Amino acid sequence: MTFQGFPDEGLVFYEGLEADNSKTYWTRNRSVYDDCVRAPMQALLDELAGEFGTPKLFRPYRDVRFSHDKTPYKTHQGAVVNPDGRGAGAWYVQVSADGLMVAGGCWRLQSDQVARYRRAVADDVQGPRLRAEVDRLAASGWSIDGERLVRVPSGFDKHGDRADLLRHKSLHAIRRWEPAGWLHERRALEEIRTSWRDLTALNAWFADNVGATTREPRDRR
């Protein structure tokens, strides 16, 4: 299948799911999800894989085990590319009733990764490199987000030009588009490809300075 855009029926499907997040609605409309959401997303990822790496298409089912919200289905379809061996620094894309979202950077860092991140931000070479990239992205319309502390951690400069970056425990850049006609066309592929390319330097910084976690995974059996 060649990507030709996200059909409007897929966005309408998510409008309905937001109103009725139930197994009955899902079962009745499963073919719409398969044909108008999952299939075009997979086709999109197949075309991007050669440049960015092997993608992961997320499951549509929510993990409700530890959540107060017991609604069973996600109201968006997301996918991520996290190149092998790079650890931190990934590309993300998501489609929903709200339109299209792309993002890059890092989410949910482990404690050893957060420690490396802070050391790199404080470094006189790597810190200004991240500062310049974050400022460039913000100036070109990207939103900078991520979990952050109220105060700069102890032992780091609380008044320097990178104090805001030191407060971050994760950091990613996001760009959103509301529903528009071009989402249903092949142009959507080019918008996503161009945006992901714009995030390459940010992801490279995380790959160079943060990398994968060295902590042992917790036993969740």
Side-chain angles (χ1 to χ4, degrees), residues 91-152:
W91 291 279
Y92 180 76
V93 60
Q94 173 181 301
V95 66
S96 69
D98 295 328
L100 180 69
M101 183 183 85
V102 294
C106 66
W107 297 259
R108 296 187 182 91
L109 294 180
Q110 298 295 328
S111 59
D112 60 315
Q113 293 174 300
V114 174
R116 291 196 295 274
Y117 166 79
R118 289 173 181 162
R119 288 197 297 269
V121 173
D123 183 80
D124 289 338
V125 175
Q126 297 303 326
R129 180 182 161 201
L130 179 62
R131 172 84 279 164
E133 186 58 22
V134 167
D135 290 349
R136 183 191 69 80
L137 290 169
S140 59
W142 291 88
S143 298
I144 307 301
D145 205 347
E147 184 181 0
R148 63 193 84 183
L149 302 172
V150 175
R151 299 179 180 83
V152 174

Side-chain angles (χ1 to χ4, degrees), residues 12-29 33 59-64 67 69-77 96-97:
V12 173
F13 164 82
Y14 278 121
E15 289 180 356
L17 186 61
E18 289 179 358
D20 181 12
N21 198 316
S22 69
K23 185 176 181 179
T24 299
Y25 175 89
W26 181 266
T27 302
R28 186 171 64 246
N29 295 278
Y33 167 77
R59 290 160 48 89
Y61 312 106
R62 296 185 61 252
D63 184 352
V64 301
S67 174
D69 180 1
K70 299 302 182 181
T71 52
Y73 304 104
K74 298 174 184 175
T75 55
H76 60 267
Q77 177 63 64
S96 69

